[in-house]
Amino acid sequence: MTQSVVVQVGQCGNQVGCRFWDLALREHSHVNKKGLYDEALSSFFRNAVLVDMEEGVVNEILQGPLREVFDSTQLLTDVSGSGNNWAVGHMTYGSAYREQIVEKLRRAAEHCDCLQCFFLIHSMGGGTGSGLGTRVLSLLEEEFPEVCRIVTSIYPSAEDDVITSPYNSVLAMRELTEHADCVLPVENQSLVDIVSKIQHMSHGAKPGQVIRRDTAIISGRGGVSAAEKPFDAMNNIVANLLLSITSSARFEGSLNMDLNEIAMNLVPFPRLHYLVPSLTPLYTLADVSVPTRRLDQMFSDAFSKDHQLIRADPKRSLYLACALMVRGNVQVSDLRRNIERLKPSLPFVSWNQEGWKTGLCSVPPVGHSHSLLALANNTCVKPTFVELRERFTKLYRKKAHLHHYLHVEGMEQSCFSEAIASLGSLIEEYQHLDATKGTLMHDAPRLSISR
């Protein structure tokens, strides 16, 4: 059986990680009602490394109901934090704790009989998540170059309360582009929009549109943790993304997808490895309609802009490849039928018209009959990166707050110019692909063999 190691870095990374473990335990207890030893549960859950340069969140974990899940020797904390400064996290703490981090990663890897993937969870706006998180990523590449590195990155909104978040995000972007195999970008603003939509429906739904209790993607009820904390609703959405992507490693299915197959099938060019995630359903209505209609609607929703975890409309951009990871009582024929139904409305690059990867896991999420995670390598990520570059440039043009970074040992102004050049190059690559959208080649007619 294959295993993965989950690495949670920074306040946001650890809060999201805690929601993931909590809801994963809920799933396994729902399936394994007799409480028998579960090999998938045991092998998957013991492999975690928690890193934060403030003690608060990790201490909460150690004092809470999840304390039995984690090996306390796999936790690494400091007291002062990174002060919302990428350079402090990457340079100062990255150097000071390098050996300890490598030792904890090696120990986690040694617990695995067949290590398949590292999952890194972090945010882009703060200092520890962006700085130390990307330093951990580069250490993973150094120490385990053959093991797939999948990163879930939480991008700050334009109204973020961290003034220096554009600097931190662009500096982190360069590291993600250079060292990750796949990045799943999630925007805070998209999470806010999804939470608002579900809460609006919950409180003011019309007859026939009442949400069934505890089926919303923002709900964590039934997990180990009882009291809901600020941002739990948003973090639950990201946790559900991680539940879906790891479902094949935790449960059986007729068409299980190995995690290393994601990068192999969805990343045709090494730098263009940003995969736009979308989740559906976001909730289940109490008044259920015809099951087949609900199933087809689930596939349609996965490609609508309302279900993307970044603010994007993939149908108006260009697909390089797409993965559909389905959970529940869904047949391969349902999968193929919906792909054929949707293909005419989804613009793919001319040289990869059949760029679909599919996975089927037989166990649905708690409260649902089926669910779908779509991962799209799509040029629709470009506007997010363009907006980030504009916010960076506004600060950098005035050299505002730059001295906070340049006072850190090892940090030079060239780090900024190289990071923004890397982001500019990435945007140009997406623009180049977008320019080919209007010149898609249709399949050439097949040659017929004369008899």
Side-chain angles (χ1 to χ4, degrees), residues 137 141 149-151 175-183 270 273:
L137 178 63
E141 186 179 41
R149 299 171 298 282
I150 299 179
V151 185
E175 302 295 316
L176 291 178
T177 302
E178 297 299 324
H179 302 298
D181 290 308
C182 291
V183 178
H273 54 234

Side-chain angles (χ1 to χ4, degrees), residues 166-296:
Y167 284 163
N168 297 332
S169 299
V170 171
L171 289 163
M173 277 283 295
R174 183 191 179 200
E175 302 295 316
L176 291 178
T177 302
E178 297 299 324
H179 302 298
D181 290 308
C182 291
V183 178
L184 311 179
V186 177
E187 277 187 316
N188 260 333
Q189 190 58 50
S190 286
L191 300 180
V192 170
D193 293 345
I194 291 172
V195 170
S196 298
K197 176 184 176 183
I198 294 173
Q199 289 179 340
H200 176 73
M201 281 201 66
S202 298
H203 296 122
K206 300 173 184 175
Q209 289 192 326
V210 178
I211 295 177
R212 194 193 302 168
R213 183 176 173 81
D214 298 336
T215 65
I217 201 171
I218 64 174
S219 172
R221 194 164 296 178
V224 177
S225 300
E228 196 151 298
K229 300 188 181 79
F231 303 110
D232 269 0
M234 293 166 64
N235 292 338
N236 285 339
I237 299 172
V238 188
N240 274 278
L241 159 63
L242 296 168
L243 288 175
S244 293
I245 204 170
T246 60
S247 60
S248 288
R250 296 181 293 117
F251 301 112
E252 293 183 350
S254 58
L255 194 64
N256 273 356
M257 186 190 301
D258 282 343
L259 293 167
N260 54 11
E261 293 179 20
I262 295 173
M264 179 63 69
N265 289 273
L266 297 189
V267 183
F269 307 112
R271 285 167 54 85
L272 305 186
H273 54 234
Y274 293 85
L275 309 179
V276 180
S278 63
L279 284 164
T280 179
L282 300 178
Y283 50 80
T284 298
L285 296 178
D287 181 18
V288 295
S289 55
V290 182
T292 307
R293 171 61 185 157
R294 286 169 54 222
L295 183 64
D296 288 2

Side-chain angles (χ1 to χ4, degrees), residues 47-68:
N47 303 323
V49 178
L50 283 63
V51 180
D52 198 1
M53 294 297 100
E54 291 177 342
E55 295 179 305
V57 175
V58 174
N59 279 347
E60 279 185 35
I61 296 167
L62 290 175
Q63 294 165 13
L66 288 173
R67 62 184 177 275
E68 301 297 332

Side-chain angles (χ1 to χ4, degrees), residues 53 87-99 101 131-132 135-136 139:
M53 294 297 100
V88 173
H90 197 85
M91 305 288 187
T92 305
Y93 287 128
S95 299
Y97 286 103
R98 184 187 190 283
E99 296 306 320
I101 292 170
L132 188 55
R135 184 65 179 264
V136 170
L139 290 175

Side-chain angles (χ1 to χ4, degrees), residues 305 313-319 345 347 378-380 434 437:
K305 60 183 180 180
D313 189 354
K315 283 189 171 184
R316 295 183 179 275
S317 301
L318 193 62
Y319 282 86
S345 64
N378 189 294
T379 59
C380 68
D434 261 340
K437 185 182 174 187

Side-chain angles (χ1 to χ4, degrees), residues 12 93 95 119 133 137 155 173 181 253-254 269 350 369 376-377 408 422 429:
C12 176
Y93 287 128
S95 299
F119 278 104
L137 178 63
Y155 281 69
M173 277 283 295
D181 290 308
S254 58
F269 307 112
S350 59
S369 59
N377 194 338
V408 176
S422 173
E429 290 181 58

